[in-house]
Amino acid sequence: MDMQGKSALVTGGASGLGAETARRLAQAGAKVAVLDVNLEAAEQLAAEIGGIACGCNITDTSSVQQALHAAREAHGPARILLNCAGVGGAKRLVGRDGAPMPLEDFSRIVGINLIGTFNAIRLVAAEMVASEPLEDGERGVIVMTSSAAAFDGQVGQEAYAASKGGLNALTLPLARDLAQFGVRVMTIAPGLFLTPLLYKLPEEVQQSLASSIPFPKRLGKADEFARLAQHVVENLSLNGEVIRLDGALRLPPR
């Protein structure tokens, strides 16, 4: 898809991978709506890239609908959806005190990362399907953000790995379901990237993490994720697949 003048929505777009992706899409000519629970940060980024900001909780249907309506009013029907909203978290199944992991901890992460992403997709896809087809019959592109943990979940990552593994499993059936309408679905699974969470770690810890990556022997850069997201949107033949973006990293048990 040629992004010039197309309406793009980026969930979790106010920080980290989402923010850099929003910048990249705007540079490529897309009209970007930055969706985030942190409205102030979303407004700052939107002002920087010439887009609009929408306060949005992806687990709340009415919140997503309001954001989608605002984006449609400003930029026209959604053509591109980048799902970058998500949360992390690690907790052992059975703690040192012998207590089982609270079910609420598992439900929260799966609820945001998996169910919340699906909620945004189902609502935006309905708008894409109702739109007029573009060149080659394409109506839209949907990209999800998974993780290397979906393949190599570490100790304590049961909830996170399950939520991201669910996105991987969704990719092909969603692509098949929407193929008849000319809507593509892809997933990117990044490894260890320099995000706000990792920036807070001491330099020696960052270097230790980087040393586990075969090549390049450094943490991933947000722009590398954003550039891949741009390519996915622009390459019509990419559909129904999960792309690992991890420098050949395979996470150890711990």
Side-chain angles (χ1 to χ4, degrees), residues 9-22 25 34-36 58 81-88 112-113 116-117 120-121 142-146 160 164 167 188 190 195 222 225-226 229:
L9 286 71
V10 183
T11 72
S15 64
L17 301 180
E20 200 59 38
T21 300
L25 298 185
V34 181
L35 279 57
D36 205 284
I58 60 172
L81 172 63
L82 263 293
N83 296 279
C84 296
V87 295
I112 295 172
N113 293 355
T117 296
I121 288 173
I142 296 168
V143 183
M144 296 185 284
T145 304
S146 178
Y160 185 70
K164 296 301 188 177
L167 297 180
I188 300 173
T195 60
F225 177 93

Side-chain angles (χ1 to χ4, degrees), residues 63-252:
S63 179
V64 178
Q65 288 173 328
Q66 289 170 17
L68 184 55
H69 175 75
R72 181 171 59 251
E73 289 293 304
H75 299 153
R79 295 294 189 176
I80 302 162
L81 172 63
L82 263 293
N83 296 279
C84 296
V87 295
K91 184 165 288 190
R92 297 291 289 263
L93 186 64
V94 179
R96 294 183 184 278
D97 58 359
M101 176 173 63
L103 184 58
E104 293 77 12
D105 291 349
F106 186 92
S107 298
R108 174 179 173 272
I109 292 175
V110 171
I112 295 172
N113 293 355
L114 178 57
I115 299 175
T117 296
F118 181 81
N119 189 40
I121 288 173
R122 72 184 184 92
L123 296 171
V124 176
E127 182 167 298
M128 290 178 173
V129 166
S131 301
E132 290 297 316
L134 302 169
E135 187 178 0
D136 295 316
E138 189 173 27
R139 284 188 169 90
V141 184
I142 296 168
V143 183
M144 296 185 284
T145 304
S146 178
S147 167
F151 304 93
D152 316 317
Q154 296 180 292
V155 169
Q157 284 189 328
E158 286 86 345
Y160 185 70
S163 69
K164 296 301 188 177
L167 297 180
N168 288 2
L170 269 177
T171 306
L172 184 59
L174 282 177
R176 287 173 164 172
D177 194 343
L178 295 172
Q180 61 184 312
F181 305 109
V183 176
R184 296 186 288 119
V185 181
M186 287 286 293
T187 296
I188 300 173
L192 295 174
F193 272 67
L194 266 175
T195 60
L197 179 63
L198 289 186
Y199 274 125
K200 296 176 182 177
L201 298 177
E203 179 65 27
E204 60 270 19
V205 176
Q206 293 185 28
Q207 291 301 321
S208 176
L209 291 171
S211 68
S212 66
I213 302 172
F215 187 83
K217 229 162 187 49
R218 59 164 173 76
L219 298 175
K221 300 177 181 178
D223 182 62
E224 292 169 330
F225 177 93
R227 281 188 281 134
L228 178 56
Q230 177 183 353
H231 181 72
V232 167
V233 172
E234 293 175 337
N235 192 326
L236 188 66
S237 290
L238 285 173
N239 195 17
E241 188 56 86
V242 179
I243 302 175
R244 290 187 70 144
L245 185 66
D246 58 17
L249 172 70
R250 296 301 179 264
L251 295 170

